[in-house]
Amino acid sequence: LFLAEEKNTEILLVGQKVRLKESCADLPVHLIDAPTVVDMHESPSTALKTRRDSSIAVCTGLVKEGKADALLTMGNSGAAVGFALFVLGRIADIAKPGIVAPFPTVEGYTLLIDVGATVDCKPIHLVQWAIMGSVYNRLAFGVSNPRVGLLSIGEEKSKGNELTFATDQLLEKAPINYIGNVEGVDIMRGTVDVVVCDGFVGNVILKFGEGLAEMFSRAMKIEIDHVFGREVDSEHQKTFFKETMNRVDYTSYGGAMLLGVNGHCLIGHGRSGPRAIANGIRAARTAAEKCPLEEIRRAIENANCIAA
């Protein structure tokens, strides 16, 4: 149904053609052969050396050659980052790329960057992610002047660690709407539009959020059955809670954008089903249409006065 509706989006499906040909015979997609795949547990360095003909490698090459406007992968995230850096390269002056993921709030989304691309960070990394996250939020999500916060253990400037203290000083000089330190509870309160942190902390938060959403969904279903009885029609339950569950379900946004490379690259969850993949394609198209890389390049150039 999704593919039938997306008439303005040309979808290139990359994988082992011999396995995909029959199942995709009636789908409006163009099959492109990739003989191998990168295993989910394979190290990125090994994949870069031995999987040059893998689906993620071929996808990245299509973006590099201008044959695709964006790529979406639900595979090995480390390999996706590795091939994006190796094939597409970093945007000029970008020290490290960052993965930005949307978190639901009552009125929209808060973007968290980085959620796993770089776990050992320097202050300049966080500053550049804050700038790129601000641009991406403005263009792709329509927030005119995104509020950017630095994730810490308290709002006070006296709280944090060496990384946050040094980063805070640089962010004060950055050409963004920086509001200072924010706490974990602010991510879903809607009081900030972009939250920046190191990739280790960000990935833990991302996985915790996904687990919390799954627990919440199961708990709600159990409570409904307990209070109203199992005779309550399941379709009524689905309708009643649809909007709420869509907000907390990672499949509603489908993929997280890798910022800092010369191409639009979205990375989705390895457990993604049809809904997540469909929404990931929509997110990739939105990024390609609304967030030109030139805007990010200009923003970084304007901030070049900030020293590491």
Side-chain angles (χ1 to χ4, degrees):
L1 178 61
F2 163 75
L3 293 176
E5 293 173 348
E6 291 295 299
K7 297 180 180 179
N8 296 325
T9 304
E10 182 181 3
I11 300 173
L12 310 178
L13 182 59
V14 181
Q16 295 174 330
K17 202 169 184 178
V18 66
R19 299 178 61 183
L20 295 172
K21 193 172 183 179
E22 184 177 348
S23 59
C24 298
D26 298 326
L27 296 178
V29 299
H30 299 280
L31 294 181
I32 296 178
D33 190 44
T36 66
V37 297
V38 177
D39 186 81
M40 291 298 285
H41 301 290
E42 196 166 347
S43 75
S45 59
T46 299
L48 284 169
K49 294 175 183 177
T50 64
R51 303 293 187 187
R52 299 291 180 85
D53 58 352
S54 64
S55 54
I56 184 58
V58 174
C59 276
T60 312
L62 291 172
V63 174
K64 174 70 173 180
E65 296 164 10
K67 296 178 181 178
D69 297 303
L71 74 85
L72 170 68
T73 176
M74 303 302 184
N76 186 313
S77 58
V81 174
F83 275 105
L85 284 169
F86 180 76
V87 178
L88 302 175
R90 288 193 296 264
I91 290 175
D93 299 318
I94 290 293
K96 295 281 187 178
I99 301 175
V100 57
F103 277 72
T105 67
V106 174
E107 298 182 351
Y109 291 97
T110 294
L111 303 187
L112 181 67
I113 184 171
D114 173 40
V115 294
T118 306
V119 296
D120 296 312
C121 303
K122 297 179 181 179
I124 192 60
H125 301 155
L126 274 69
V127 173
Q128 292 181 339
W129 296 338
I131 294 169
M132 292 191 294
S134 179
V135 172
Y136 182 56
N137 192 294
R138 174 170 56 84
L139 298 178
F141 289 81
V143 180
S144 60
N145 189 26
R147 300 158 296 177
V148 180
L150 175 63
L151 188 63
S152 187
I153 58 172
E155 295 181 357
E156 303 89 345
K157 284 184 174 291
S158 60
K159 292 185 177 180
N161 56 21
E162 291 184 6
L163 178 61
T164 58
F165 292 149
T167 302
D168 175 70
Q169 294 180 19
L170 295 178
L171 285 174
E172 290 283 3
K173 306 172 187 175
I176 56 176
N177 181 17
Y178 178 56
I179 63 172
N181 286 354
V182 296
E183 299 178 85
V185 295
D186 293 305
I187 295 174
M188 294 185 180
R189 278 181 174 173
T191 56
V192 60
D193 300 302
V194 179
V195 174
V196 62
C197 64
D198 67 81
F200 185 94
V201 171
N203 192 263
V204 171
I205 292 174
L206 178 67
K207 300 294 174 59
F208 175 78
E210 291 173 354
L212 183 63
E214 291 176 1
M215 182 279 294
F216 178 71
S217 177
R218 290 197 298 269
M220 290 292 286
K221 291 177 181 178
I222 292 172
E223 190 64 21
I224 289 172
D225 288 340
H226 175 71
V227 174
F228 298 102
R230 293 189 178 275
E231 69 275 6
V232 177
D233 187 82
S234 61
E235 288 302 316
H236 283 79
Q237 296 179 23
K238 291 179 182 178
T239 301
F240 188 76
F241 293 106
K242 181 178 179 180
E243 291 301 320
T244 300
M245 295 316 302
N246 279 350
R247 285 192 173 277
V248 300
D249 186 358
Y250 72 87
T251 65
S252 65
Y253 58 84
M257 182 79 167
L258 177 65
L259 296 176
V261 296
N262 288 305
H264 295 94
C265 175
L266 278 86
I267 302 172
H269 202 294
R271 292 183 292 137
S272 294
R275 182 171 183 266
I277 294 172
N279 285 323
I281 294 172
R282 290 191 180 100
R285 184 186 63 189
T286 297
E289 290 178 344
K290 296 184 178 181
C291 188
L293 297 178
E294 190 57 37
E295 292 281 348
I296 292 177
R297 292 190 185 99
R298 278 200 293 265
I300 294 299
E301 287 175 2
N302 293 337
N304 272 347
C305 58
I306 302 175

